[in-house]
């Protein structure tokens, strides 16, 4: 029950709060609304089969690319992953999303270039935990004709390296491009809450009707309290929750007292609390 509650709370948090993916250049005041691509899954195949030939998947502002197996038997999510179409064993985490990383802005050669540097991918040498992490140079170029995005190139900086570069043209890197979410549609958090409370309402409504028809025919529809489904459970739930809280509090305090008592006994046995008289 506790694990289910934690999963529900985590889902509510993820649906209700989105990543902040709007970046501002401190010098010029220019803004980059990368959140416009926060729901995109950008895929690109490097056709240089001699030196690369991999598939690259980028999910801006989140870790939602291909899940790669790790040495512990589980899987790792990533913002950017590298895979091979005909070889499922090749799956590498190039970079993970990090909200603390900010881009460098430049408008010398074009109307806007935003450069990110990530150094938090898989280790270069899986057998050496002290080896450097893979690094990614992610560049967004201003091009209003490219629409939301157009991948210019993606791949290793040179064969066998642990360094990668991805260049993407997008109108959102251009000046005067402001992204605003569609406020007429419901967010994922609201949809989840509507489903949750609709389920609760349906449970009580149909449960009440079922009890009135089948279990308590003598009481009829007028007995609202008597027809509540699992009425005994709901009436006892507050006292059970209170008893559980009290038990948890007593358990934690007991653990603290036990730790304190053990330390005091240890200090006394080492002579810190005084001397003992031999009664033999």
């Amino acid at each position: 029950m506790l694990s289910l509650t934690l999963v529900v709370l985590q889902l509510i948090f993820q649906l209700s709060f989105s990543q902040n993916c709007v970046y501002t250049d401190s010098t010029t005041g220019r803004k980059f609304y990368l959140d416009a691509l926060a729901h995109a899954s950008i895929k690109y195949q490097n056709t240089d089969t001699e030196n690369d030939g991999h598939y690259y998947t980028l999910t801006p502002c989140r870790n939602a690319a291909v899940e790669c197996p790790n040495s512990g038997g589980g899987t790792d999510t990533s913002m950017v992953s590298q895979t091979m179409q005909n070889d499922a064993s090749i799956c590498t985490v190039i970079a993970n999303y990090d909200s603390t990383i900010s881009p460098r802005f430049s408008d010398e050669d074009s109307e806007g270039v935003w450069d990110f540097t990530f150094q938090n991918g898989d280790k270069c040498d899986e057998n050496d935990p002290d080896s450097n992490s893979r690094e990614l140079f992610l560049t967004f170029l201003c091009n209003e004709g490219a629409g939301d995005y157009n991948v210019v190139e993606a791949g290793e900086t040179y064969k066998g390296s642990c360094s990668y570069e991805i260049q993407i043209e997008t109108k959102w890197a251009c000046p005067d491009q402001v992204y605003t979410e569609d406020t007429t549609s419901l967010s994922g958090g609201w949809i989840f809450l509507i489903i949750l409370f609709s389920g609760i309402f349906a449970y009580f409504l149909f449960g009440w009707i079922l009890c009135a028809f089948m279990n308590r025919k003598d009481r009829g529809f007028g007995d609202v309290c008597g027809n509540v489904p699992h009425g005994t459970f709901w009436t006892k739930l507050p006292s059970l929750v209170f008893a559980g809280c009290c038990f948890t509090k007593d358990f934690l305090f007991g653990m603290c007292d036990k730790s304190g008592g053990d330390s005091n006994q240890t200090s006394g046995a080492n002579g810190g609390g005084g001397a003992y008289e031999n009664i033999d």
Side-chain angles (χ1 to χ4, degrees):
M1 186 66 181
L2 178 59
S3 60
L4 177 61
T5 303
L6 293 176
V7 170
V8 172
L9 291 176
Q10 182 181 8
L11 179 61
I12 294 175
F13 180 82
Q14 292 178 344
L15 292 174
S16 301
F17 300 96
S18 59
Q19 300 284 6
N20 180 15
C21 241
V22 180
Y23 301 95
T24 304
D25 178 55
S26 58
T27 304
T28 63
R30 282 273 299 273
K31 290 183 178 293
F32 178 30
Y33 291 87
L34 187 54
D35 58 338
L37 305 180
H39 302 290
S41 181
I42 303 173
K43 301 179 183 295
Y44 180 82
Q45 181 186 11
N46 188 301
T47 55
D48 184 3
T49 56
E50 182 178 350
N51 297 308
D52 196 319
H54 294 93
Y55 281 83
Y56 294 88
T57 303
L58 164 65
T59 53
C61 308
R62 68 199 194 281
N63 289 334
V66 179
E67 293 187 352
C68 296
N70 55 35
S71 57
T75 57
D76 292 328
T77 58
S78 61
M79 182 185 70
V80 180
S81 63
Q82 178 195 56
T83 56
M84 185 69 76
Q85 185 177 19
N86 298 323
D87 191 347
S89 65
I90 298 179
C91 188
T92 305
V93 174
I94 304 300
N96 291 292
Y97 175 69
D98 186 347
S99 60
T100 63
I101 296 177
S102 298
R104 297 182 303 276
F105 171 73
S106 173
D107 58 356
E108 295 180 358
D109 300 328
S110 66
E111 294 187 14
V113 178
W114 299 83
D115 292 304
F116 293 83
T117 301
F118 295 88
Q119 296 176 317
N120 56 8
D122 282 346
K123 296 292 184 180
C124 292
D125 185 355
E126 296 181 356
N127 299 319
D128 182 9
D130 296 327
S131 65
N132 295 327
S133 298
R134 301 174 189 270
E135 63 178 353
L136 169 69
F137 301 100
L138 177 60
T139 302
F140 292 92
L141 307 161
C142 167
N143 184 351
E144 293 189 359
D148 283 338
Y149 61 87
N150 175 54
V151 181
V152 179
E153 63 176 342
E156 301 177 3
T157 54
Y158 59 90
K159 186 176 181 179
S161 72
C162 290
S163 179
Y164 306 81
E165 58 182 357
I166 298 177
Q167 292 189 6
I168 298 175
E169 294 178 335
T170 175
K171 67 178 182 180
W172 300 109
C174 300
D176 303 324
Q177 289 289 339
V178 178
Y179 173 74
T180 55
E181 293 188 6
D182 185 8
T183 56
T184 59
S185 60
L186 294 175
S187 65
W190 278 112
I191 294 175
F192 175 80
L193 292 176
I194 290 173
I195 295 175
L196 176 63
F197 286 108
S198 297
I200 295 174
F201 176 77
Y203 161 76
F204 281 103
L205 176 62
F206 290 106
W208 180 79
I209 294 175
L210 183 64
C211 289
F213 265 108
M214 299 183 61
N215 300 336
R216 303 182 181 95
K217 296 180 180 180
D218 55 325
R219 300 182 181 182
F221 286 96
D223 189 358
V224 177
C225 295
N227 291 328
V228 171
H230 306 107
T232 304
F233 168 77
W234 293 115
T235 55
K236 292 184 177 181
L237 181 62
S239 60
L240 293 174
V241 172
F242 179 76
C245 293
C246 292
F247 173 81
T248 303
K249 184 200 72 171
D250 294 339
F251 176 78
L252 294 177
F253 275 101
M255 292 291 292
C256 294
D257 292 341
K258 184 177 180 181
S259 298
D262 291 342
S263 62
N264 291 334
Q265 291 177 6
T266 303
S267 62
N270 291 332
Y276 292 93
E277 182 181 356
N278 190 347
I279 61 174
D280 289 339

